[in-house]
mmCIF file of all heavy atoms in Angstrom:
data_model
loop_
_atom_site.group_PDB
_atom_site.id
_atom_site.type_symbol
_atom_site.label_atom_id
_atom_site.label_comp_id
_atom_site.label_asym_id
_atom_site.label_seq_id
_atom_site.Cartn_x
_atom_site.Cartn_y
_atom_site.Cartn_z
ATOM 1 N N ARG Q 1426 9.596 -5.460 -8.212
ATOM 2 C CA ARG Q 1426 10.303 -4.985 -6.996
ATOM 3 C C ARG Q 1426 9.387 -5.072 -5.766
ATOM 4 O O ARG Q 1426 9.820 -5.432 -4.680
ATOM 5 C CB ARG Q 1426 10.792 -3.564 -7.190
ATOM 6 C CG ARG Q 1426 11.882 -3.427 -8.225
ATOM 7 C CD ARG Q 1426 12.564 -2.062 -8.222
ATOM 8 N NE ARG Q 1426 11.682 -0.912 -8.180
ATOM 9 C CZ ARG Q 1426 11.244 -0.237 -9.242
ATOM 10 N NH1 ARG Q 1426 11.600 -0.601 -10.459
ATOM 11 N NH2 ARG Q 1426 10.482 0.821 -9.077
ATOM 12 N N LEU Q 1427 8.090 -4.758 -5.944
ATOM 13 C CA LEU Q 1427 7.152 -4.837 -4.832
ATOM 14 C C LEU Q 1427 7.010 -6.286 -4.355
ATOM 15 O O LEU Q 1427 6.995 -6.549 -3.158
ATOM 16 C CB LEU Q 1427 5.803 -4.269 -5.251
ATOM 17 C CG LEU Q 1427 4.738 -4.139 -4.178
ATOM 18 C CD1 LEU Q 1427 5.190 -3.129 -3.097
ATOM 19 C CD2 LEU Q 1427 3.402 -3.701 -4.776
ATOM 20 N N THR Q 1428 6.961 -7.213 -5.292
ATOM 21 C CA THR Q 1428 6.889 -8.645 -4.941
ATOM 22 C C THR Q 1428 8.126 -9.063 -4.162
ATOM 23 O O THR Q 1428 8.030 -9.758 -3.127
ATOM 24 C CB THR Q 1428 6.754 -9.495 -6.223
ATOM 25 O OG1 THR Q 1428 5.583 -9.114 -6.903
ATOM 26 C CG2 THR Q 1428 6.708 -10.972 -5.881
ATOM 27 N N GLU Q 1429 9.306 -8.628 -4.600
ATOM 28 C CA GLU Q 1429 10.534 -8.964 -3.905
ATOM 29 C C GLU Q 1429 10.564 -8.344 -2.509
ATOM 30 O O GLU Q 1429 11.017 -8.974 -1.551
ATOM 31 C CB GLU Q 1429 11.746 -8.520 -4.729
ATOM 32 C CG GLU Q 1429 13.074 -8.963 -4.155
ATOM 33 C CD GLU Q 1429 13.202 -10.477 -4.006
ATOM 34 O OE1 GLU Q 1429 12.610 -11.221 -4.804
ATOM 35 O OE2 GLU Q 1429 13.888 -10.916 -3.057
ATOM 36 N N ASP Q 1430 10.064 -7.141 -2.383
ATOM 37 C CA ASP Q 1430 9.994 -6.480 -1.084
ATOM 38 C C ASP Q 1430 9.111 -7.304 -0.144
ATOM 39 O O ASP Q 1430 9.455 -7.511 1.012
ATOM 40 C CB ASP Q 1430 9.436 -5.070 -1.221
ATOM 41 C CG ASP Q 1430 9.501 -4.293 0.085
ATOM 42 O OD1 ASP Q 1430 10.624 -3.975 0.530
ATOM 43 O OD2 ASP Q 1430 8.428 -4.008 0.656
ATOM 44 N N TYR Q 1431 7.990 -7.791 -0.653
ATOM 45 C CA TYR Q 1431 7.107 -8.637 0.177
ATOM 46 C C TYR Q 1431 7.822 -9.911 0.585
ATOM 47 O O TYR Q 1431 7.745 -10.340 1.750
ATOM 48 C CB TYR Q 1431 5.817 -8.951 -0.580
ATOM 49 C CG TYR Q 1431 4.903 -9.830 0.262
ATOM 50 C CD1 TYR Q 1431 4.178 -9.273 1.306
ATOM 51 C CD2 TYR Q 1431 4.822 -11.185 0.042
ATOM 52 C CE1 TYR Q 1431 3.371 -10.069 2.103
ATOM 53 C CE2 TYR Q 1431 4.023 -11.987 0.826
ATOM 54 C CZ TYR Q 1431 3.298 -11.423 1.852
ATOM 55 O OH TYR Q 1431 2.497 -12.213 2.635
ATOM 56 N N ARG Q 1432 8.527 -10.536 -0.325
ATOM 57 C CA ARG Q 1432 9.251 -11.778 0.006
ATOM 58 C C ARG Q 1432 10.294 -11.533 1.081
ATOM 59 O O ARG Q 1432 10.496 -12.363 1.964
ATOM 60 C CB ARG Q 1432 9.942 -12.339 -1.251
ATOM 61 C CG ARG Q 1432 9.009 -12.987 -2.224
ATOM 62 C CD ARG Q 1432 9.776 -13.630 -3.362
ATOM 63 N NE ARG Q 1432 8.836 -14.208 -4.302
ATOM 64 C CZ ARG Q 1432 8.841 -13.956 -5.612
ATOM 65 N NH1 ARG Q 1432 9.780 -13.193 -6.141
ATOM 66 N NH2 ARG Q 1432 7.960 -14.510 -6.409
ATOM 67 N N GLN Q 1433 10.971 -10.388 1.025
ATOM 68 C CA GLN Q 1433 12.049 -10.113 1.946
ATOM 69 C C GLN Q 1433 11.567 -9.557 3.281
ATOM 70 O O GLN Q 1433 12.184 -9.803 4.324
ATOM 71 C CB GLN Q 1433 13.050 -9.139 1.331
ATOM 72 C CG GLN Q 1433 13.828 -9.764 0.200
ATOM 73 C CD GLN Q 1433 14.911 -8.860 -0.345
ATOM 74 O OE1 GLN Q 1433 15.187 -7.784 0.179
ATOM 75 N NE2 GLN Q 1433 15.543 -9.307 -1.416
ATOM 76 N N ARG Q 1434 10.504 -8.738 3.294
ATOM 77 C CA ARG Q 1434 10.089 -8.123 4.543
ATOM 78 C C ARG Q 1434 8.586 -7.950 4.680
ATOM 79 O O ARG Q 1434 8.112 -7.036 5.327
ATOM 80 C CB ARG Q 1434 10.815 -6.800 4.744
ATOM 81 C CG ARG Q 1434 10.673 -5.808 3.613
ATOM 82 C CD ARG Q 1434 11.342 -4.464 3.906
ATOM 83 N NE ARG Q 1434 10.552 -3.434 3.286
ATOM 84 C CZ ARG Q 1434 9.553 -2.755 3.861
ATOM 85 N NH1 ARG Q 1434 9.271 -2.958 5.107
ATOM 86 N NH2 ARG Q 1434 8.865 -1.850 3.223
ATOM 87 N N GLY Q 1435 7.829 -8.853 4.065
ATOM 88 C CA GLY Q 1435 6.365 -8.775 4.119
ATOM 89 C C GLY Q 1435 5.811 -8.746 5.518
ATOM 90 O O GLY Q 1435 4.777 -8.137 5.775
ATOM 91 N N GLU Q 1436 6.500 -9.401 6.462
ATOM 92 C CA GLU Q 1436 6.014 -9.407 7.837
ATOM 93 C C GLU Q 1436 6.065 -8.021 8.468
ATOM 94 O O GLU Q 1436 5.430 -7.757 9.481
ATOM 95 C CB GLU Q 1436 6.790 -10.413 8.699
ATOM 96 C CG GLU Q 1436 8.242 -10.040 8.995
ATOM 97 C CD GLU Q 1436 9.202 -10.285 7.814
ATOM 98 O OE1 GLU Q 1436 8.827 -10.953 6.834
ATOM 99 O OE2 GLU Q 1436 10.340 -9.792 7.890
ATOM 100 N N GLU Q 1437 6.828 -7.099 7.842
ATOM 101 C CA GLU Q 1437 6.913 -5.722 8.357
ATOM 102 C C GLU Q 1437 5.833 -4.820 7.769
ATOM 103 O O GLU Q 1437 5.623 -3.714 8.238
ATOM 104 C CB GLU Q 1437 8.285 -5.132 8.018
ATOM 105 C CG GLU Q 1437 9.447 -5.847 8.670
ATOM 106 C CD GLU Q 1437 10.793 -5.346 8.183
ATOM 107 O OE1 GLU Q 1437 10.872 -4.189 7.720
ATOM 108 O OE2 GLU Q 1437 11.755 -6.111 8.244
ATOM 109 N N TRP Q 1438 5.186 -5.255 6.713
ATOM 110 C CA TRP Q 1438 4.143 -4.450 6.105
ATOM 111 C C TRP Q 1438 2.979 -4.269 7.090
ATOM 112 O O TRP Q 1438 2.642 -5.209 7.830
ATOM 113 C CB TRP Q 1438 3.615 -5.115 4.851
ATOM 114 C CG TRP Q 1438 4.494 -5.053 3.634
ATOM 115 C CD1 TRP Q 1438 5.831 -4.772 3.588
ATOM 116 C CD2 TRP Q 1438 4.096 -5.304 2.290
ATOM 117 N NE1 TRP Q 1438 6.283 -4.836 2.308
ATOM 118 C CE2 TRP Q 1438 5.248 -5.163 1.469
ATOM 119 C CE3 TRP Q 1438 2.892 -5.653 1.701
ATOM 120 C CZ2 TRP Q 1438 5.200 -5.356 0.107
ATOM 121 C CZ3 TRP Q 1438 2.866 -5.839 0.336
ATOM 122 C CH2 TRP Q 1438 4.005 -5.673 -0.457
ATOM 123 N N GLU Q 1439 2.375 -3.116 7.084
ATOM 124 C CA GLU Q 1439 1.202 -2.874 7.925
ATOM 125 C C GLU Q 1439 0.052 -3.813 7.544
ATOM 126 O O GLU Q 1439 -0.732 -4.230 8.371
ATOM 127 C CB GLU Q 1439 0.762 -1.423 7.765
ATOM 128 C CG GLU Q 1439 -0.447 -1.036 8.582
ATOM 129 C CD GLU Q 1439 -0.184 -0.963 10.075
ATOM 130 O OE1 GLU Q 1439 0.970 -0.682 10.485
ATOM 131 O OE2 GLU Q 1439 -1.132 -1.214 10.858
ATOM 132 N N ASN Q 1440 -0.012 -4.142 6.265
ATOM 133 C CA ASN Q 1440 -1.116 -4.965 5.736
ATOM 134 C C ASN Q 1440 -0.538 -6.190 4.993
ATOM 135 O O ASN Q 1440 -0.524 -6.218 3.772
ATOM 136 C CB ASN Q 1440 -1.983 -4.114 4.796
ATOM 137 C CG ASN Q 1440 -2.514 -2.903 5.528
ATOM 138 O OD1 ASN Q 1440 -3.246 -3.016 6.478
ATOM 139 N ND2 ASN Q 1440 -2.125 -1.724 5.079
ATOM 140 N N PRO Q 1441 -0.100 -7.203 5.711
ATOM 141 C CA PRO Q 1441 0.613 -8.313 5.101
ATOM 142 C C PRO Q 1441 -0.266 -9.387 4.472
ATOM 143 O O PRO Q 1441 0.236 -10.224 3.740
ATOM 144 C CB PRO Q 1441 1.436 -8.888 6.261
ATOM 145 C CG PRO Q 1441 0.592 -8.605 7.463
ATOM 146 C CD PRO Q 1441 -0.052 -7.270 7.177
ATOM 147 N N THR Q 1442 -1.580 -9.391 4.753
ATOM 148 C CA THR Q 1442 -2.460 -10.374 4.105
ATOM 149 C C THR Q 1442 -3.138 -9.734 2.889
ATOM 150 O O THR Q 1442 -3.278 -8.510 2.835
ATOM 151 C CB THR Q 1442 -3.537 -10.897 5.064
ATOM 152 O OG1 THR Q 1442 -4.480 -9.855 5.318
ATOM 153 C CG2 THR Q 1442 -2.942 -11.437 6.354
ATOM 154 N N LEU Q 1443 -3.550 -10.551 1.968
ATOM 155 C CA LEU Q 1443 -4.227 -10.029 0.782
ATOM 156 C C LEU Q 1443 -5.480 -9.245 1.185
ATOM 157 O O LEU Q 1443 -5.751 -8.160 0.634
ATOM 158 C CB LEU Q 1443 -4.581 -11.155 -0.173
ATOM 159 C CG LEU Q 1443 -5.272 -10.752 -1.474
ATOM 160 C CD1 LEU Q 1443 -4.408 -9.751 -2.235
ATOM 161 C CD2 LEU Q 1443 -5.585 -11.974 -2.322
ATOM 162 N N GLU Q 1444 -6.242 -9.766 2.105
ATOM 163 C CA GLU Q 1444 -7.457 -9.071 2.564
ATOM 164 C C GLU Q 1444 -7.135 -7.710 3.122
ATOM 165 O O GLU Q 1444 -7.747 -6.698 2.740
ATOM 166 C CB GLU Q 1444 -8.174 -9.919 3.618
ATOM 167 C CG GLU Q 1444 -9.436 -9.265 4.140
ATOM 168 C CD GLU Q 1444 -10.150 -10.079 5.200
ATOM 169 O OE1 GLU Q 1444 -9.509 -10.969 5.806
ATOM 170 O OE2 GLU Q 1444 -11.316 -9.814 5.423
ATOM 171 N N GLN Q 1445 -6.161 -7.606 4.023
ATOM 172 C CA GLN Q 1445 -5.778 -6.312 4.595
ATOM 173 C C GLN Q 1445 -5.212 -5.397 3.520
ATOM 174 O O GLN Q 1445 -5.505 -4.187 3.509
ATOM 175 C CB GLN Q 1445 -4.743 -6.512 5.699
ATOM 176 C CG GLN Q 1445 -5.288 -7.185 6.943
ATOM 177 C CD GLN Q 1445 -4.179 -7.534 7.898
ATOM 178 O OE1 GLN Q 1445 -3.100 -7.999 7.511
ATOM 179 N NE2 GLN Q 1445 -4.397 -7.291 9.169
ATOM 180 N N PHE Q 1446 -4.401 -5.930 2.646
ATOM 181 C CA PHE Q 1446 -3.803 -5.146 1.561
ATOM 182 C C PHE Q 1446 -4.881 -4.523 0.683
ATOM 183 O O PHE Q 1446 -4.848 -3.333 0.365
ATOM 184 C CB PHE Q 1446 -2.869 -6.040 0.742
ATOM 185 C CG PHE Q 1446 -2.133 -5.345 -0.330
ATOM 186 C CD1 PHE Q 1446 -0.900 -4.743 -0.085
ATOM 187 C CD2 PHE Q 1446 -2.614 -5.309 -1.624
ATOM 188 C CE1 PHE Q 1446 -0.187 -4.100 -1.095
ATOM 189 C CE2 PHE Q 1446 -1.925 -4.674 -2.653
ATOM 190 C CZ PHE Q 1446 -0.711 -4.060 -2.377
ATOM 191 N N LEU Q 1447 -5.867 -5.334 0.265
ATOM 192 C CA LEU Q 1447 -6.909 -4.816 -0.622
ATOM 193 C C LEU Q 1447 -7.804 -3.789 0.085
ATOM 194 O O LEU Q 1447 -8.217 -2.797 -0.514
ATOM 195 C CB LEU Q 1447 -7.743 -5.961 -1.169
ATOM 196 C CG LEU Q 1447 -7.007 -6.898 -2.142
ATOM 197 C CD1 LEU Q 1447 -7.860 -8.105 -2.495
ATOM 198 C CD2 LEU Q 1447 -6.572 -6.148 -3.396
ATOM 199 N N GLU Q 1448 -8.075 -4.011 1.366
ATOM 200 C CA GLU Q 1448 -8.864 -3.031 2.143
ATOM 201 C C GLU Q 1448 -8.099 -1.705 2.236
ATOM 202 O O GLU Q 1448 -8.682 -0.636 2.032
ATOM 203 C CB GLU Q 1448 -9.158 -3.562 3.536
ATOM 204 C CG GLU Q 1448 -10.209 -4.643 3.552
ATOM 205 C CD GLU Q 1448 -10.382 -5.255 4.945
ATOM 206 O OE1 GLU Q 1448 -9.617 -4.935 5.887
ATOM 207 O OE2 GLU Q 1448 -11.303 -6.059 5.099
ATOM 208 N N ALA Q 1449 -6.813 -1.775 2.488
ATOM 209 C CA ALA Q 1449 -5.983 -0.561 2.577
ATOM 210 C C ALA Q 1449 -5.870 0.119 1.232
ATOM 211 O O ALA Q 1449 -5.913 1.347 1.119
ATOM 212 C CB ALA Q 1449 -4.603 -0.881 3.118
ATOM 213 N N LEU Q 1450 -5.747 -0.665 0.155
ATOM 214 C CA LEU Q 1450 -5.681 -0.122 -1.185
ATOM 215 C C LEU Q 1450 -6.959 0.658 -1.515
ATOM 216 O O LEU Q 1450 -6.906 1.781 -1.991
ATOM 217 C CB LEU Q 1450 -5.455 -1.227 -2.197
ATOM 218 C CG LEU Q 1450 -5.364 -0.842 -3.661
ATOM 219 C CD1 LEU Q 1450 -4.248 0.167 -3.897
ATOM 220 C CD2 LEU Q 1450 -5.151 -2.087 -4.531
ATOM 221 N N ALA Q 1451 -8.103 0.066 -1.227
ATOM 222 C CA ALA Q 1451 -9.376 0.735 -1.467
ATOM 223 C C ALA Q 1451 -9.479 2.022 -0.633
ATOM 224 O O ALA Q 1451 -9.901 3.062 -1.159
ATOM 225 C CB ALA Q 1451 -10.557 -0.201 -1.138
ATOM 226 N N ALA Q 1452 -9.063 1.972 0.614
ATOM 227 C CA ALA Q 1452 -9.130 3.154 1.477
ATOM 228 C C ALA Q 1452 -8.208 4.262 0.991
ATOM 229 O O ALA Q 1452 -8.600 5.438 0.934
ATOM 230 C CB ALA Q 1452 -8.783 2.782 2.920
ATOM 231 N N TRP Q 1453 -7.004 3.903 0.576
ATOM 232 C CA TRP Q 1453 -6.061 4.919 0.110
ATOM 233 C C TRP Q 1453 -6.549 5.547 -1.174
ATOM 234 O O TRP Q 1453 -6.495 6.757 -1.337
ATOM 235 C CB TRP Q 1453 -4.668 4.322 -0.085
ATOM 236 C CG TRP Q 1453 -3.648 5.363 -0.418
ATOM 237 C CD1 TRP Q 1453 -2.940 6.121 0.487
ATOM 238 C CD2 TRP Q 1453 -3.227 5.772 -1.725
ATOM 239 N NE1 TRP Q 1453 -2.100 6.975 -0.201
ATOM 240 C CE2 TRP Q 1453 -2.251 6.791 -1.552
ATOM 241 C CE3 TRP Q 1453 -3.549 5.397 -2.990
ATOM 242 C CZ2 TRP Q 1453 -1.630 7.416 -2.617
ATOM 243 C CZ3 TRP Q 1453 -2.931 6.012 -4.067
ATOM 244 C CH2 TRP Q 1453 -1.974 7.025 -3.869
ATOM 245 N N VAL Q 1454 -7.017 4.747 -2.129
ATOM 246 C CA VAL Q 1454 -7.519 5.308 -3.387
ATOM 247 C C VAL Q 1454 -8.695 6.225 -3.135
ATOM 248 O O VAL Q 1454 -8.814 7.285 -3.726
ATOM 249 C CB VAL Q 1454 -7.863 4.169 -4.383
ATOM 250 C CG1 VAL Q 1454 -8.585 4.713 -5.604
ATOM 251 C CG2 VAL Q 1454 -6.582 3.453 -4.822
ATOM 252 N N ALA Q 1455 -9.594 5.830 -2.221
ATOM 253 C CA ALA Q 1455 -10.742 6.677 -1.878
ATOM 254 C C ALA Q 1455 -10.283 8.003 -1.266
ATOM 255 O O ALA Q 1455 -10.810 9.069 -1.575
ATOM 256 C CB ALA Q 1455 -11.671 5.952 -0.949
ATOM 257 N N ASP Q 1456 -9.298 7.946 -0.388
ATOM 258 C CA ASP Q 1456 -8.805 9.137 0.291
ATOM 259 C C ASP Q 1456 -7.894 9.988 -0.584
ATOM 260 O O ASP Q 1456 -7.817 11.205 -0.409
ATOM 261 C CB ASP Q 1456 -8.040 8.775 1.568
ATOM 262 C CG ASP Q 1456 -8.949 8.219 2.664
ATOM 263 O OD1 ASP Q 1456 -10.192 8.346 2.541
ATOM 264 O OD2 ASP Q 1456 -8.435 7.626 3.624
ATOM 265 N N ALA Q 1457 -7.186 9.365 -1.499
ATOM 266 C CA ALA Q 1457 -6.175 10.042 -2.300
ATOM 267 C C ALA Q 1457 -6.759 10.476 -3.641
ATOM 268 O O ALA Q 1457 -6.274 10.068 -4.700
ATOM 269 C CB ALA Q 1457 -4.968 9.147 -2.505
ATOM 270 N N GLY Q 1458 -7.777 11.265 -3.597
ATOM 271 C CA GLY Q 1458 -8.383 11.762 -4.827
ATOM 272 C C GLY Q 1458 -7.515 12.811 -5.489
ATOM 273 O O GLY Q 1458 -6.392 13.087 -5.081
ATOM 274 N N PRO Q 1459 -8.043 13.433 -6.552
ATOM 275 C CA PRO Q 1459 -7.259 14.414 -7.319
ATOM 276 C C PRO Q 1459 -6.707 15.556 -6.477
ATOM 277 O O PRO Q 1459 -5.573 15.978 -6.700
ATOM 278 C CB PRO Q 1459 -8.261 14.925 -8.351
ATOM 279 C CG PRO Q 1459 -9.219 13.793 -8.510
ATOM 280 C CD PRO Q 1459 -9.325 13.171 -7.137
ATOM 281 N N SER Q 1460 -7.444 16.073 -5.508
ATOM 282 C CA SER Q 1460 -6.918 17.188 -4.715
ATOM 283 C C SER Q 1460 -5.745 16.727 -3.847
ATOM 284 O O SER Q 1460 -4.774 17.464 -3.686
ATOM 285 C CB SER Q 1460 -8.011 17.800 -3.845
ATOM 286 O OG SER Q 1460 -8.485 16.855 -2.897
ATOM 287 N N TRP Q 1461 -5.788 15.519 -3.317
ATOM 288 C CA TRP Q 1461 -4.679 15.006 -2.539
ATOM 289 C C TRP Q 1461 -3.454 14.873 -3.434
ATOM 290 O O TRP Q 1461 -2.352 15.263 -3.074
ATOM 291 C CB TRP Q 1461 -5.014 13.635 -1.935
ATOM 292 C CG TRP Q 1461 -3.862 13.001 -1.210
ATOM 293 C CD1 TRP Q 1461 -3.609 13.104 0.119
ATOM 294 C CD2 TRP Q 1461 -2.817 12.207 -1.773
ATOM 295 N NE1 TRP Q 1461 -2.447 12.419 0.423
ATOM 296 C CE2 TRP Q 1461 -1.942 11.867 -0.705
ATOM 297 C CE3 TRP Q 1461 -2.522 11.763 -3.046
ATOM 298 C CZ2 TRP Q 1461 -0.804 11.082 -0.907
ATOM 299 C CZ3 TRP Q 1461 -1.379 10.995 -3.232
ATOM 300 C CH2 TRP Q 1461 -0.554 10.654 -2.174
ATOM 301 N N TYR Q 1462 -3.649 14.317 -4.599
ATOM 302 C CA TYR Q 1462 -2.542 14.090 -5.517
ATOM 303 C C TYR Q 1462 -1.874 15.393 -5.887
ATOM 304 O O TYR Q 1462 -0.638 15.513 -5.863
ATOM 305 C CB TYR Q 1462 -3.051 13.376 -6.772
ATOM 306 C CG TYR Q 1462 -1.958 12.770 -7.611
ATOM 307 C CD1 TYR Q 1462 -1.390 11.555 -7.304
ATOM 308 C CD2 TYR Q 1462 -1.483 13.436 -8.740
ATOM 309 C CE1 TYR Q 1462 -0.394 10.999 -8.057
ATOM 310 C CE2 TYR Q 1462 -0.469 12.900 -9.519
ATOM 311 C CZ TYR Q 1462 0.061 11.681 -9.172
ATOM 312 O OH TYR Q 1462 1.061 11.137 -9.947
ATOM 313 N N GLU Q 1463 -2.658 16.403 -6.184
ATOM 314 C CA GLU Q 1463 -2.115 17.700 -6.574
ATOM 315 C C GLU Q 1463 -1.364 18.333 -5.374
ATOM 316 O O GLU Q 1463 -0.267 18.869 -5.554
ATOM 317 C CB GLU Q 1463 -3.217 18.628 -7.046
ATOM 318 C CG GLU Q 1463 -2.689 19.944 -7.600
ATOM 319 C CD GLU Q 1463 -3.765 20.750 -8.275
ATOM 320 O OE1 GLU Q 1463 -4.898 20.284 -8.419
ATOM 321 O OE2 GLU Q 1463 -3.455 21.885 -8.678
ATOM 322 N N ARG Q 1464 -1.924 18.242 -4.196
ATOM 323 C CA ARG Q 1464 -1.312 18.834 -3.008
ATOM 324 C C ARG Q 1464 0.029 18.172 -2.673
ATOM 325 O O ARG Q 1464 0.998 18.826 -2.375
ATOM 326 C CB ARG Q 1464 -2.295 18.729 -1.831
ATOM 327 C CG ARG Q 1464 -1.813 19.439 -0.582
ATOM 328 C CD ARG Q 1464 -2.886 19.549 0.508
ATOM 329 N NE ARG Q 1464 -3.513 18.277 0.838
ATOM 330 C CZ ARG Q 1464 -4.786 17.963 0.622
ATOM 331 N NH1 ARG Q 1464 -5.608 18.829 0.029
ATOM 332 N NH2 ARG Q 1464 -5.261 16.791 0.941
ATOM 333 N N TYR Q 1465 0.083 16.828 -2.717
ATOM 334 C CA TYR Q 1465 1.287 16.136 -2.280
ATOM 335 C C TYR Q 1465 2.247 15.778 -3.403
ATOM 336 O O TYR Q 1465 3.415 15.573 -3.145
ATOM 337 C CB TYR Q 1465 0.914 14.891 -1.468
ATOM 338 C CG TYR Q 1465 0.300 15.241 -0.169
ATOM 339 C CD1 TYR Q 1465 -1.082 15.172 0.026
ATOM 340 C CD2 TYR Q 1465 1.063 15.716 0.890
ATOM 341 C CE1 TYR Q 1465 -1.656 15.542 1.224
ATOM 342 C CE2 TYR Q 1465 0.502 16.099 2.091
ATOM 343 C CZ TYR Q 1465 -0.864 15.990 2.250
ATOM 344 O OH TYR Q 1465 -1.427 16.365 3.450
#
């Protein structure tokens, strides 16, 4: 489903390139530790 979403509206993603996507993924995982997960 995520792949299909990219095909249909990838230009709307904040991070549409692989480089931007991976940087954002690393930042989110770093920021979204166990306390964030429990809180949200």
Side-chain angles (χ1 to χ4, degrees):
R1426 293 191 314 265
L1427 186 64
T1428 301
E1429 187 58 31
D1430 187 68
Y1431 179 77
R1432 285 185 183 128
Q1433 291 185 6
R1434 54 177 215 91
E1436 70 283 347
E1437 297 173 24
W1438 285 17
E1439 180 71 28
N1440 303 298
T1442 69
L1443 181 58
E1444 179 181 19
Q1445 291 172 317
F1446 183 88
L1447 292 173
E1448 287 174 353
L1450 179 58
W1453 187 86
V1454 170
D1456 290 346
S1460 63
W1461 176 93
Y1462 194 82
E1463 186 171 355
R1464 186 170 52 246
Y1465 292 102

